[in-house]
Amino acid sequence: MNLSQQGQVSSVSLTTPVPRDEDVTFPGEGWFYYWKTSASLWRSKLETHLSGPLVIVPLNWSFHSETGDTYDFAQHRPETDLQKLCLIAEELHKKVVFLLPLSPAPFLPNGGLPHFLARTMALNEEGLAQMAVDADGSFNKLYSFFDSRVYQAFTRFTHELSQYFSRSGINADVIGMRSFSYCPYLGLRSLMTDRSIVFEQSFARYLKARTEEEGLELTNGEQEADLKLDYTVTIERLYEENAKRAFHAHWEGTLNYAFLGTSGEDQFGRLAHRHRDTRYAVDLLECLALDHVPSSALLPSRAKRSVLKRQSQDLVLNSFLLSKLERYEDEESSLFKPLIHFELAELDPKSKPRDHHWTSNGLLPYLRATYPFSYLIHRLDQRSLEEEEGFQERVLFYLGHGLNQGSFHRMLTRFMSGGRLIVDTSYMPEEFSKRLEVFMIENSLQSEKVNFHTSIQNIVLGEGRMVLIDGQKLNQLEESKLLAFWQRLLETFGLKILSLEGPEGVLHYWRTRAAHGGELNFEEVRRLSLYNPSSYKRKLTIQLPKTMALMKVIDSFHVEVQPRPSHIEVQMLPEGSVSLDFGLFS
Amino acid sequence: MKSLFAIYAYRGEQGYALYHVFDEEGGLDFESLLQFIEGHPGLVMNPRYFPYLVGFESLDQVKTLAFELCREREADRVVLLTPQDYNEVIEEHSHPEPFFQALASRGESMENLEERSSKGGLLGKIFR
């Protein structure tokens, strides 16, 4: 292997491209940078360049307050007039949703902090300065949110802004935004993370307080790392609670945003004007699977003109985001929501051992290869049953060693409510093993035991099914046996999933909606979106099961679709994309 | 002169961690680094870091990897940077061009690979 070719660079710009005006003000996913264009042009720009019902407006704190003490909401600069922006949007039949950064915002200079508050650079866990390379190639340095002066100024800012909302009759919603970097190898990392001297000093005070109040004793580095996580979460919640209080009636919750192009190698590559456009298209789908809203705001405009732009519009803005903001769904319920067949419990970051995860027991590699992006990896213990409409249709995966009191209780509740669960019991604390046994005895549940590469117990209760496996034994299996194991096990769940046979490199993503009045033959309608981000032609075949019928082909771009009696042939030119709607019946 | 940059840190009992390797053509990803290490039997990774970071028991191993990468990427020299070096440069700059120039003047620079290798020692052994 020649490492000089390792950059996997899809294209290199030899000259600095001049970004188009609309790319500067509309960085993607429905966002509008109101501070980057004259207020007199807002109407024409919104009218011309933004489709869809929503205008997502990130709030730029430093634009309204240079010092952190005084504020400008339409008093001096017309571009600070958020009331005017809302009125224009209303006239254009669009709804403004404000995004309020609750952590350093990588798309803003100084992470969004007013100049005088940008005092201590935030450091990541490796002690490296947190920064983000912006769409124009400049650095946005991120500063510590653990500085008490920042928190006090944030409190004043949210108070002033909410007062301005009241005075000017703005009734738009406000959503808190937590920012994350995304790396294919390291996953998501919160940009709130800080190990600067300011963080360490405030953490020392937190530790002292807990020592005095609870008699806490710090005995090892692992414990200290866990406490730092606790402290970070505590401060994150302080900012969130503060914003929630200030905007009470406007507040619509918090979203996690993952910024594409923020891994270490991406940032250094982008500093050198090298871009891995093909990979951003994959990263976007990975972020969706991690239950985070992907943002292409930091990517240069040239990276967003092809497949990524269509993904951003179709999958992020018009599907994932709208499904998160359910109140914006239209009355006909025509929204295609992400189709999820599998939900994997994300570990609490403090769980031990950390390295035993869905990758080592072979599940995630299997799902990635067989049902790409039809899964969701998130904290199952943080969602109530009411929030998980339709969970009975999915297979839920739990890790025994990631369980706590709350998640164990929720796991059993889901099982008793007809949920289908697979629980990897490796490293499950004895307390929960015993409670599981007691639960089975109390409910007179019988388990069917099978040995297939590992011990498997199948337990049924009404519609509910719980399969217990010892994932530790799977770790030693060779790859082909691991794949066969998961295939055999998941086949027993009888999932209605369409298989695709095609070359690597074609990305696909499934969405679903309920059937409308005129579609009574069908139980539901599923939309398959196909993307070819490569510079090669691709051909694939879709085998149609008897329970699915092709309804229509839409948004075809450089693609030819040929329906046959039992299958569909799709030929895709470079950067082509298409969506196919299927009716599903029993 | 083409420089290869490597940011590493001493992490006490855990030895040395290599955080980033990059040059003016971009950064090396984690998987490529792992593959490169596997292809060089003289390099032994500290398993305590896997799967999050590349790390070694000794600084010599970090330097050896950096030199091997330097040769592979056809760079003229290696600049070993500590987080502090890197952070100071970030603090002073906001644009890529002066950033790379500033980095090149920092850290521990090791040049003239052939001369070094001819002198023997660990690096010499690896280069022959």
Side-chain angles (χ1 to χ4, degrees):
Chain A
M1 180 183 54
N2 182 354
L3 272 175
S4 57
Q5 296 167 350
Q6 272 298 302
Q8 302 278 320
V9 177
S10 56
S11 52
V12 181
S13 81
L14 298 175
T15 55
T16 306
V18 180
R20 295 181 301 184
D21 192 34
E22 65 263 32
D23 293 326
V24 173
T25 47
F26 297 98
E29 294 83 33
W31 283 24
F32 178 55
Y33 286 163
Y34 57 95
W35 63 93
K36 288 213 171 180
T37 189
S38 163
S40 60
L41 298 174
W42 283 351
R43 175 188 297 276
S44 63
K45 283 183 182 295
L46 288 172
E47 204 165 16
T48 313
H49 300 299
L50 205 62
S51 59
L54 294 184
V55 189
I56 314 278
V57 180
L59 288 161
N60 185 343
W61 177 6
S62 64
F63 187 66
H64 297 277
S65 176
E66 287 182 10
T67 60
D69 288 327
T70 56
Y71 304 92
D72 183 2
F73 295 115
Q75 287 96 331
H76 303 293
R77 287 176 294 179
E79 287 71 36
T80 60
D81 190 346
L82 300 176
Q83 181 194 23
K84 179 182 174 178
L85 180 58
C86 290
L87 288 173
I88 291 173
E90 198 177 327
E91 285 162 19
L92 297 173
H93 307 291
K94 292 180 190 295
K95 175 93 179 157
V96 167
V97 177
F98 288 109
L99 277 183
L100 177 70
L102 301 172
S103 61
F107 52 93
L108 294 170
N110 298 334
L113 291 188
H115 180 68
F116 286 111
L117 290 169
R119 300 188 193 204
T120 309
M121 286 183 68
L123 306 182
N124 66 16
E125 281 164 332
E126 285 85 48
L128 298 173
Q130 298 261 41
M131 64 97 167
V133 181
D134 208 346
D136 63 3
S138 58
F139 310 164
N140 289 328
K141 298 163 198 170
L142 309 186
Y143 288 84
S144 180
F145 265 48
F146 291 85
D147 187 331
S148 58
R149 288 166 296 200
V150 171
Y151 179 71
Q152 286 156 14
F154 179 81
T155 307
R156 287 195 296 274
F157 171 64
T158 51
H159 175 74
E160 291 290 332
L161 184 58
S162 65
Q163 294 293 307
Y164 166 64
F165 273 31
S166 301
R167 279 197 312 274
S168 53
I170 293 176
N171 64 2
D173 291 333
V174 178
I175 290 174
M177 175 175 64
R178 290 196 201 99
S179 299
F180 292 77
S181 66
Y182 174 73
C183 169
Y185 309 102
L186 299 171
L188 294 158
R189 296 180 117 189
S190 168
L191 294 179
M192 186 71 177
T193 301
D194 184 17
R195 293 294 178 269
S196 68
I197 183 73
V198 165
F199 170 85
E200 296 294 349
Q201 284 169 349
S202 60
F203 174 68
R205 288 193 292 273
Y206 165 81
L207 211 53
K208 191 178 172 205
R210 285 195 61 178
T211 307
E212 286 171 2
E213 287 166 20
E214 303 166 27
L216 179 80
E217 274 184 56
L218 198 57
T219 52
N220 58 53
E222 215 166 64
Q223 189 195 3
E224 185 182 333
D226 286 351
L227 285 166
K228 282 182 174 174
L229 280 171
D230 283 344
Y231 179 57
T232 302
V233 170
T234 303
I235 300 300
E236 266 178 342
R237 286 190 184 145
L238 265 184
Y239 278 93
E240 187 178 19
E241 286 301 318
N242 180 309
K244 196 174 170 180
R245 267 197 311 277
F247 292 104
H248 49 96
H250 300 272
W251 190 253
E252 279 298 318
T254 301
L255 287 176
N256 292 330
Y257 269 83
F259 288 85
L260 304 176
T262 46
S263 71
E265 62 271 20
D266 276 339
Q267 301 227 93
F268 291 120
R270 292 174 55 220
L271 285 173
H273 304 297
R274 303 250 163 173
H275 302 280
R276 309 181 194 211
D277 299 357
T278 310
R279 215 185 68 191
Y280 297 143
V282 182
D283 290 355
L284 179 141
L285 296 177
E286 294 283 3
C287 290
L288 291 178
L290 290 165
D291 208 17
H292 282 55
V293 188
S295 170
S296 57
L298 294 175
L299 301 180
S301 51
R302 51 169 292 283
K304 295 186 273 192
R305 281 186 191 152
S306 56
V307 162
L308 195 69
K309 185 173 185 175
R310 278 169 260 145
Q311 286 181 310
S312 153
Q313 188 75 21
D314 301 341
L315 308 184
V316 182
L317 179 59
N318 294 335
S319 179
F320 186 79
L321 195 57
L322 280 177
S323 69
K324 291 275 177 195
L325 309 172
E326 284 179 357
R327 58 173 295 185
Y328 301 108
E329 277 187 47
D330 61 32
E331 288 171 2
E332 292 173 10
S333 191
S334 59
L335 172 69
F336 277 92
K337 294 181 179 180
L339 177 63
I340 304 299
H341 294 297
F342 311 100
E343 283 191 71
L344 284 63
E346 178 61 281
L347 280 179
D348 180 317
K350 290 187 289 184
S351 298
K352 308 286 182 309
R354 279 185 65 188
D355 57 346
H356 178 76
H357 213 262
W358 298 117
T359 303
S360 49
N361 70 14
L363 175 65
L364 202 48
Y366 172 74
L367 293 181
R368 280 194 171 123
T370 317
Y371 307 115
F373 314 115
S374 291
Y375 49 85
L376 201 56
I377 308 171
H378 60 160
R379 293 284 297 275
L380 284 173
D381 59 335
Q382 290 178 344
R383 292 163 66 122
S384 67
L385 216 54
E386 294 73 38
E387 285 178 285
E388 293 185 14
E389 186 195 342
F391 72 91
Q392 292 93 338
E393 306 296 317
R394 305 169 178 178
V395 180
L396 312 177
F397 294 85
Y398 286 87
L399 282 168
H401 74 286
L403 292 171
N404 55 34
Q405 298 289 349
S407 58
F408 182 78
H409 174 73
R410 285 189 180 90
M411 183 181 86
L412 293 186
T413 310
R414 285 180 180 100
F415 172 52
M416 290 188 290
S417 310
R420 296 179 295 175
L421 284 60
I422 296 180
V423 185
D424 182 343
T425 56
S426 329
Y427 308 107
M428 183 187 270
E430 205 179 327
E431 176 198 354
F432 294 124
S433 300
K434 282 186 180 163
R435 282 177 60 182
L436 198 55
E437 280 174 31
V438 171
F439 170 79
M440 287 176 63
I441 293 166
E442 281 177 351
N443 291 282
S444 310
L445 298 175
Q446 299 295 318
S447 79
E448 181 190 353
K449 292 181 182 171
V450 184
N451 260 315
F452 176 57
H453 295 309
T454 186
S455 57
I456 302 171
Q457 284 187 69
N458 188 45
I459 306 156
V460 177
L461 174 63
E463 295 290 308
R465 183 178 169 201
M466 179 156 57
V467 178
L468 308 178
I469 60 162
D470 181 358
Q472 219 178 337
K473 287 183 184 160
L474 296 174
N475 295 355
Q476 291 120 34
L477 284 184
E478 59 188 69
E479 199 182 327
S480 60
K481 285 184 179 170
L482 262 183
L483 294 181
F485 170 81
W486 286 110
Q487 187 182 356
R488 290 281 295 277
L489 185 57
L490 292 179
E491 271 173 3
T492 65
F493 285 86
L495 297 163
K496 292 176 184 170
I497 307 178
L498 191 62
S499 70
L500 295 181
E501 290 171 21
E504 280 190 21
V506 173
L507 302 172
H508 66 272
Y509 193 79
W510 283 96
R511 287 172 284 164
T512 182
R513 69 162 169 78
H516 289 161
E519 300 161 340
L520 290 179
N521 287 340
F522 303 121
E523 286 173 4
E524 66 174 276
V525 178
R526 289 186 182 177
R527 175 167 291 175
L528 171 66
S529 296
L530 298 164
Y531 300 93
N532 175 16
S534 75
S535 52
Y536 301 98
K537 281 185 190 174
R538 305 287 194 195
K539 188 178 174 183
L540 72 154
T541 305
I542 301 167
Q543 297 293 342
L544 272 180
K546 288 178 182 169
T547 52
M548 279 181 122
L550 177 65
M551 292 170 64
K552 61 181 175 182
V553 178
I554 58 166
D555 300 335
S556 180
F557 185 83
H558 290 171
V559 170
E560 194 180 324
V561 178
Q562 291 186 320
R564 308 283 185 208
S566 63
H567 65 277
I568 301 165
E569 288 172 6
V570 184
Q571 293 199 57
M572 309 184 78
L573 291 176
E575 300 193 343
S577 62
V578 68
S579 289
L580 310 172
D581 281 2
F582 296 94
L584 192 74
F585 46 90
S586 44
Chain B
M1 182 178 281
K2 186 177 166 185
S3 302
L4 179 80
F5 302 100
I7 306 175
Y8 78 101
Y10 176 58
R11 296 178 32 141
E13 287 176 5
Q14 293 182 315
Y16 291 82
L18 190 63
Y19 295 145
H20 294 291
V21 180
F22 58 100
D23 56 24
E24 290 188 45
E25 290 177 5
L28 271 175
D29 63 41
F30 182 67
E31 200 167 80
S32 304
L33 274 175
L34 286 184
Q35 283 177 358
F36 188 80
I37 292 165
E38 279 172 15
H40 290 75
L43 295 168
V44 183
M45 215 179 107
N46 182 346
R48 295 176 73 166
Y49 286 102
F50 189 80
Y52 303 107
L53 281 173
V54 170
F56 297 101
E57 297 282 354
S58 72
L59 184 58
D60 267 344
Q61 289 266 298
V62 176
K63 288 181 177 179
T64 301
L65 172 63
F67 268 102
E68 285 290 293
L69 286 167
C70 179
R71 194 163 60 160
E72 186 74 32
R73 308 264 293 189
E74 295 174 349
D76 301 302
R77 63 175 196 158
V78 181
V79 182
L80 289 175
L81 299 156
T82 62
Q84 198 181 347
D85 293 323
Y86 170 81
N87 293 348
E88 284 171 11
V89 173
I90 289 280
E91 191 136 30
E92 289 163 14
H93 295 88
S94 293
H95 296 284
E97 286 75 20
F99 167 74
F100 282 115
Q101 283 168 21
L103 275 187
S105 64
R106 293 263 177 167
E108 185 189 354
S109 170
M110 292 180 284
E111 300 175 56
N112 303 320
L113 303 184
E114 292 308 318
E115 187 187 327
R116 273 179 172 262
S117 61
S118 68
K119 285 179 185 168
L122 177 66
L123 298 173
K125 280 179 201 162
I126 283 156
F127 273 79
R128 293 219 186 92

